[in-house]
Amino acid sequence: MTGSEILIKSLLAEGVSTLFGYPGGQVIPVFDTLYDYRYELHHVLTRHEQGAVHAAQGYARASGGVGVCLVTSGPGATNVITGVGDAMLDSTPVVVIAGQVASSMLGTDAFQEIDVVGITQPITKWAYQIRRAEDVAWAVARAFYIARSGRPGPVVLDFTKDAQVQQAEFAYRPCTFIRSYQPVPEADPVCLDEAARLIDAAERPLALIGQGVILAHAEEELKAFLEKADIPAASTLLGLSALPSDYPLNKGFLGMHGNVAPNMKTNEADVLIAVGMRFDDRLTGNVAKYALQAKIIHLDIDPSEIGKNVRVDVPVLGDAKVTLQALTGRISPRRHAEWIRSFDEYDRLEQDEVTRKELYPDGGPLTMGEVVRRVSEATGHDAVLVTDVGQNQMMAARYFRHSRSRSMVTSGGLGTMGFGIPAAMGAKLAVPARTVCLFCGDGGFQMTMQELGTIMQEHLGVKIILLDNHYLGMVRQWQELFYHERYSFTAMHNPDFTAIARAYGIASRTVEHRAELDDAIADMLRDDDEPYLLVARVEDKGMVYPMVPAGAGITEILLGEG
């Protein structure tokens, strides 16, 4: 077979059914071969390579599988760099395959030649250049194993044009082992025993839940652990759907715009149990003021995360599904009723000072929060939530509710505006039976709105809720609070978004008054197979509170103006 056919056969052997891409000169042989397999392998033609890689991310996050992206050399490859970096920071398994000039032309500055491996090596788990057809199957097997194993992440294969057309024998062997690569460290029984001892002695324990629980498929093990020791829990941004929103021990959202109670209680707990999270600065605030009173137990699959940002008293390395189960077997049943009740006072404070005003405003323009709440309620809190980045993201994280796992798809570590539309496409293709609701702002929407063409061509039933405030809202919020209301280049003069949707054959509606909001949402959700754009004209200078200012401690929380 040619190298191109070996590539396609190898993808099929890995169970790939959908990939996202954009053709170009140096990858034409692969696309030519793909034509013969178009009924076995669904290729989604995006309108930009950035859209392809973000769609692959959304597909991976919603499905639990590996997302695949196929692009050409030069600008095709460089256009996926943002998504590759995003996938690295958010531990998303994607395999990016990029065409490359022929081996004989490497290093000559040939047309559309770029050092893809050199550029991507710092932001991937593995980057490799394929120069021979006989190496294709081996490279693909290794790429998928590395992308999905241990702490997941992106892999890039740089595929020279001569290797695409050369011939070689095809024999596919899945990769299950690489010498010197140990993706899942074995848990130390001594550490597990010490962690259990601390938990048994704790009077004020708090669990911090990250996306690692979801990646390990450890949701049920987490519940068993929390329930045995009666431990309240709160989640990072990417870990939000690991526990149902109404789960009794779920105390909400951690971090800069998180809930007051878990943030305050972080600095009151005597033991913190962090599971599959990395103590990001948006979660900890000023680390010099973070949980100084607490013993910290950190369960993680990646040894490099232990002690990286905060001191850790007991490291528990390993897969969360395994380590949670082992820890649950070691701890004693406990009850912490008084400690759990102590969260209520802060919950009431947040309700009085922030939540009630945002979700149930007394007149005035629509608020972002009330739009999020009403969409969540209309879906029975069972939709996949996808967000772009900014105020729309934080409002959706705070007020959209979840009833099952893998229901939160957002750009966390890199904070990539423009992520939303293509990621929602990928999510819908991954779980077509589920409703996919995308919240975005007018800034992020316009960064990748060309992907409405992909939604049109693929006929994807993505429900887009555009929170239109005519500002780059989160930057404007910081300008208002910390830069003396000097709104430097954050005001936006926007087009008629419904006219744009109409040009793509997508139903749409603009809402300005809350009396018409429920009807518009019902219209949007009437047919899950049809795409829809709902433009909600919200207050132009709405604020996301609570907020922990940059550099402040996690308990130094702003609840509003003044």
Side-chain angles (χ1 to χ4, degrees), residues 514-558:
R514 58 181 48 88
E516 55 188 351
L517 182 58
D518 286 340
D519 182 65
I521 293 170
D523 188 37
M524 175 179 72
L525 297 176
R526 188 164 288 114
D527 187 343
D528 198 57
D529 294 328
E530 294 293 330
Y532 197 102
L533 173 65
L534 175 59
V535 181
R537 295 269 177 82
V538 296
E539 55 182 337
D540 59 356
K541 292 185 179 179
M543 303 286 276
V544 185
Y545 288 116
M547 180 182 184
V548 178
I554 197 64
T555 60
E556 297 169 344
I557 303 172
L558 302 179

Side-chain angles (χ1 to χ4, degrees), residues 26-174:
Q26 302 300 345
V27 78
I28 283 179
V30 176
F31 274 89
D32 184 64
T33 302
L34 189 58
Y35 186 83
D36 295 327
Y37 291 87
R38 61 192 184 279
Y39 300 114
E40 298 170 67
L41 199 50
H42 179 200
H43 176 271
V44 178
L45 175 65
T46 59
R47 297 311 188 255
H48 191 281
E49 290 89 353
Q50 183 181 355
V53 68
H54 289 331
Q57 290 176 268
Y59 187 93
R61 294 271 288 277
S63 69
V66 178
V68 183
C69 176
L70 177 64
V71 297
T72 193
S73 66
T78 58
N79 282 344
V80 303
I81 298 299
T82 296
V84 171
D86 195 290
M88 188 67 175
L89 282 170
D90 285 353
S91 304
T92 305
V94 296
V95 172
V96 175
I97 303 156
Q100 182 57 280
V101 301
S103 300
S104 61
M105 302 294 289
L106 291 170
T108 68
D109 290 336
F111 178 65
Q112 293 191 335
E113 180 197 358
I114 200 78
D115 183 3
V116 173
V117 171
I119 290 172
T120 60
Q121 216 159 27
I123 54 170
T124 54
K125 288 187 73 177
W126 187 50
Y128 180 76
Q129 187 173 79
I130 304 172
R131 298 188 184 186
R132 304 186 310 166
E134 53 261 44
D135 294 334
V136 174
W138 170 88
V140 171
R142 190 180 178 99
F144 275 80
Y145 175 62
I146 292 172
R148 67 161 66 97
S149 60
R151 180 180 180 175
V155 170
V156 169
L157 296 178
D158 190 36
F159 196 6
T160 63
K161 195 167 187 179
D162 51 327
Q164 296 172 37
V165 299
Q166 290 169 1
Q167 293 199 337
E169 295 293 329
F170 173 65
Y172 195 78
R173 298 180 185 86

Side-chain angles (χ1 to χ4, degrees), residues 61 89-92 209-212 214 235-242 253 278 393 408-413:
R61 294 271 288 277
L89 282 170
D90 285 353
S91 304
T92 305
I209 308 306
Q211 187 191 200
I214 297 170
S235 298
T236 67
L237 177 65
L238 298 187
L240 275 173
S241 68
F253 176 30
R278 58 189 181 88
Q393 177 186 36
M408 177 61 163
V409 179
T410 193
S411 172

Side-chain angles (χ1 to χ4, degrees), residues 232-290:
S235 298
T236 67
L237 177 65
L238 298 187
L240 275 173
S241 68
L243 292 170
S245 299
D246 60 358
Y247 182 68
L249 291 171
N250 187 353
K251 296 301 176 182
F253 176 30
L254 293 159
M256 178 176 279
H257 292 288
N259 296 117
V260 173
N263 280 338
M264 295 297 291
K265 292 298 178 180
T266 294
N267 277 13
E268 296 178 26
D270 56 2
V271 174
L272 294 179
I273 308 103
V275 188
M277 50 85 75
R278 58 189 181 88
F279 290 104
D280 173 77
D281 62 289
R282 287 297 173 99
L283 180 135
T284 64
N286 187 340
V287 293
K289 301 178 181 181
Y290 183 78

